[in-house]
């Protein structure tokens, strides 16, 4: 599985830690920026990089991880695109439900709310929890995909 990761200045340090963690777990990781810490960067730029990579990936089941101070901004940007189901996740139970129930393909994290250890637990749970495929969940995802552009 290919995992695309992006973060603004607020998520820069956590992004670096998570990339190392993901590689240690054996995932193919693509860093979509920021590559250098820039205190005046804008989170939408990195959300767009990850979303574009995800939507054009030839990988069978790519995932994205976006990190900013609250996770909210990244989540708002990502969810503007058809086929993206971004979830703001703060704990392992939300991570499990976001994958099992909603087939989330983008994980948004709040760097100011999670320690590196907490973020690793969330990421591991989110990446290893399969979508249940229950008919009610599939129906809801189809409904979501019919919204917007």
């Amino acid at each position: 599985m290919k995992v695309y990761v992006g973060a603004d200045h607020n998520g820069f340090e956590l992004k670096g830690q998570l990339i190392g963690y993901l590689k240690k777990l054996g995932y193919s990781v693509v860093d979509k920026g920021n590559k250098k810490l820039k205190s005046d960067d804008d989170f939408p730029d990195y959300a767009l990089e990850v979303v574009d990579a995800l939507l054009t990936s030839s990988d069978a089941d790519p995932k994205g991880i976006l990190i900013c101070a609250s996770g909210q901004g990244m989540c708002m940007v990502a969810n503007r695109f058809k086929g993206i189901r971004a979830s703001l996740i703060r704990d392992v139970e939300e991570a499990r439900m976001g994958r099992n129930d909603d087939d989330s393909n983008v994980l948004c994290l709040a760097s100011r709310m999670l320690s590196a250890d907490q973020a690793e637990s969330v990421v591991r749970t989110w990446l290893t929890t399969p979508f249940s495929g229950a008919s009610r969940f599939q129906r809801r995802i189809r409904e979501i995909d019919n919204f917007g552009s």
Side-chain angles (χ1 to χ4, degrees):
M1 173 189 305
K2 192 168 281 188
V3 181
Y4 299 94
V5 184
D8 68 357
H9 59 282
N10 285 303
F12 184 81
E13 184 179 331
L14 182 57
K15 177 182 68 101
Q17 293 169 326
L18 289 177
I19 286 173
Y21 177 70
L22 289 164
K23 287 180 178 179
K24 189 172 112 178
L25 292 177
Y27 289 97
S28 172
V29 182
V30 180
D31 184 348
K32 298 306 283 183
N34 196 351
K35 304 283 173 74
K36 290 184 178 181
L37 181 59
K38 290 195 272 182
S39 62
D40 63 344
D41 63 6
D42 294 318
F43 67 84
D45 297 333
Y46 308 107
L48 290 171
E49 287 288 327
V50 169
V51 166
D52 183 57
L54 196 64
L55 291 174
T56 60
S57 178
S58 60
D59 195 71
D61 190 26
K63 299 287 187 277
I65 298 175
L66 296 169
I67 311 160
C68 66
S70 70
Q72 296 284 1
M74 291 289 203
C75 199
M76 287 181 205
V77 173
N79 277 319
R80 290 188 170 259
F81 295 86
K82 191 173 199 151
I84 297 298
R85 293 173 304 282
S87 299
L88 176 61
I89 304 291
R90 291 173 291 248
D91 60 44
V92 294
E93 184 58 21
E94 286 182 350
R96 188 194 65 72
M97 291 186 327
R99 287 287 309 129
N100 182 80
D101 301 2
D102 303 313
D103 198 19
S104 171
N105 56 5
V106 175
L107 171 63
C108 299
L109 298 172
S111 64
R112 291 190 183 160
M113 307 273 205
L114 297 170
S115 69
D117 288 342
Q118 290 169 318
E120 287 176 1
S121 294
V122 165
V123 166
R124 183 179 59 252
T125 301
W126 186 76
L127 287 171
T128 59
T129 300
F131 175 52
S132 74
S135 61
R136 70 184 184 279
F137 298 147
Q138 290 181 21
R139 181 183 69 247
R140 292 169 188 159
I141 289 168
R142 281 192 304 276
E143 290 174 17
I144 292 169
D145 284 345
N146 287 326
F147 296 153
S149 57

Coordinates of all heavy atoms in Angstrom, one line a residue, residues 40 65 77:
D40 N 5.7 30.2 7.3 CA 4.7 30.9 6.6 C 4.0 30.1 5.5 O 3.3 30.7 4.7 CB 5.2 32.2 6.1 CG 6.2 32.1 5.0 OD1 6.8 31.0 4.9 OD2 6.5 33.1 4.3
I65 N -2.3 10.8 4.4 CA -2.3 11.3 5.8 C -1.9 12.8 5.7 O -0.9 13.2 5.1 CB -1.2 10.6 6.7 CG1 -1.6 9.1 6.8 CG2 -1.1 11.2 8.1 CD1 -0.6 8.2 7.5
V77 N -10.2 20.9 3.2 CA -9.7 20.9 1.9 C -9.8 19.6 1.2 O -10.4 19.5 0.1 CB -8.2 21.4 1.8 CG1 -7.6 21.2 0.4 CG2 -8.0 22.8 2.4

